[in-house]
Amino acid sequence: MKSRFFKVLSLACLVTMLWLPTMSVYGKSNYVNRGENYHFGYIYGAAGYNSLQTSLTNVVPSGTVGGSAGVGYEFRYKGLWVSLGVGAQFHRSVLTLNQYSETRPGFDTQDQEVTFHYDILSQQDKNEWMMVDVPLMIGYYIKGFYVGVGPKLSFALQPNVVSQGQYDFSAYYPRYDYIFRDMPEHGYTQYDFEETNVIQTNPLVSVCAELGYDLLSSVGTRSSLCHVLKIGGYFEYGINSIVRPSSTAMYLKVDENNAAVVYPGSYLGGMTSAKRVVPYFVGVKLTYMIGGSRHGGGVYHRGCMCYQQ
């Protein structure tokens, strides 16, 4: 899914760049007529760095490349603009868990009472989430430059977390007052694990900001359509926690038939202490808009930034 998403995004950017020279042939560069109303439909794509910020103290978050794409509507009037869109975002991040230990009471194969020790030596949670976005932005533009801020509502679809790592299994015997470890013949040794889990999420509200420039806005005298290509720096940061803590979720799940086998699921999904987990994104956003300026009786005004046909 992720490879197909980035292939489509890359193809859209390539088509846009190949389209630029044709625009320079058919039209001349100009800015939006600030005295007119402009109505645009647009498509956008963004790529950059995304990661998580969390209140958990036992993990180290790190980010990677992510992206988004979508469509929407933008209205401009006298230097002001407002836009509403819908899109999809692919979030990728990694949480590295510091060493962690848990104990569980139990019995060995001889029915002797023991306390099993599970020491997580290393674990990485690889988060891969597809999200549906509904962004709303309000801003100002002048001489080709623009700035905008606004909220965005996101819903995570299939928020998968792949957990990989290694743990050490040992047991404390009260009868001997001794911890048995490094005994592979008895099962007390190190084990590797890999599990895929789906975590519970909340709808996410983020604050977004964008600052950029209209790379291309062509002026003509006969066409009714206006074409604008703009590029800008883009930033978003979550306000509420996207993870929904569960009072019944367990981080370490022990196999009922073999105490040496545990399933350490995602640390975020199993920890009820994850009170704040918010994603953030910083990158570059490219938007292509097509529309026009209605002037009197619903007719497109000739002062629109269009290319001649």
Side-chain angles (χ1 to χ4, degrees), residues 68-273:
S68 62
V71 298
Y73 165 79
E74 180 172 311
F75 173 73
R76 293 187 175 189
Y77 177 68
K78 291 186 177 181
L80 300 177
W81 63 274
V82 59
S83 69
L84 178 65
V86 61
Q89 180 178 2
F90 187 75
H91 172 92
R92 303 171 66 193
S93 61
V94 177
L95 287 178
T96 301
L97 175 65
N98 296 327
Q99 290 190 1
Y100 176 84
S101 299
E102 277 195 19
T103 60
R104 301 286 174 84
F107 297 89
D108 68 0
T109 56
Q110 304 300 320
D111 288 331
Q112 296 187 75
E113 184 177 352
V114 299
T115 301
F116 295 117
H117 290 240
Y118 303 94
D119 299 317
I120 305 299
L121 305 178
S122 64
Q123 178 174 339
Q124 281 194 336
D125 283 355
K126 299 179 180 179
N127 308 291
E128 297 185 351
W129 309 338
M130 182 64 72
M131 306 175 71
V132 175
D133 296 337
V134 182
L136 172 66
M137 297 197 78
I138 301 174
Y140 184 80
Y141 67 94
I142 182 172
K143 294 184 178 180
F145 292 95
Y146 69 91
V147 61
V149 296
K152 186 183 76 169
L153 181 62
S154 302
F155 303 91
L157 304 179
Q158 294 184 334
N160 292 326
V161 180
V162 179
S163 302
Q164 297 174 318
Q166 187 177 63
Y167 67 91
D168 181 78
F169 176 62
S170 59
Y172 171 74
Y173 282 74
R175 178 180 178 181
Y176 306 107
D177 191 24
Y178 186 78
I179 297 178
F180 287 76
R181 57 164 40 98
D182 298 327
M183 301 171 62
E185 66 276 13
H186 296 287
Y188 301 129
T189 185
Q190 295 181 2
Y191 296 89
D192 296 325
F193 66 87
E194 180 174 344
E195 292 292 324
T196 299
N197 300 274
V198 178
I199 64 174
Q200 300 298 314
T201 60
N202 298 312
L204 176 69
V205 178
S206 303
V207 58
C208 306
E210 185 176 353
L211 175 64
Y213 183 74
D214 288 352
L215 279 180
L216 180 67
S217 55
S218 299
V219 173
T221 58
R222 289 178 296 176
S223 173
S224 62
L225 293 179
C226 308
H227 300 262
V228 179
L229 179 66
K230 63 180 184 178
I231 187 171
Y234 180 78
F235 172 79
E236 64 181 56
Y237 185 83
I239 297 177
N240 64 297
S241 179
I242 191 172
V243 175
R244 181 188 305 168
S246 173
S247 59
T248 59
M250 296 178 62
Y251 168 52
L252 289 182
K253 298 178 181 179
V254 181
D255 191 293
E256 295 181 356
N257 300 316
N258 188 349
V261 179
V262 295
Y263 308 99
S266 69
Y267 194 66
L268 287 181
M271 293 289 100
T272 58
S273 58

Side-chain angles (χ1 to χ4, degrees), residues 8-23:
V8 172
L9 187 59
S10 300
L11 180 61
C13 293
L14 177 61
V15 171
T16 302
M17 297 306 294
L18 293 176
W19 173 76
L20 281 174
T22 64
M23 290 297 294

Side-chain angles (χ1 to χ4, degrees), residues 38-42 72-76 226 228 289-292 305:
Y38 289 89
H39 304 264
F40 293 101
Y42 66 80
Y73 165 79
E74 180 172 311
F75 173 73
R76 293 187 175 189
C226 308
V228 179
M289 307 194 302
I290 182 170
M305 44 179 188

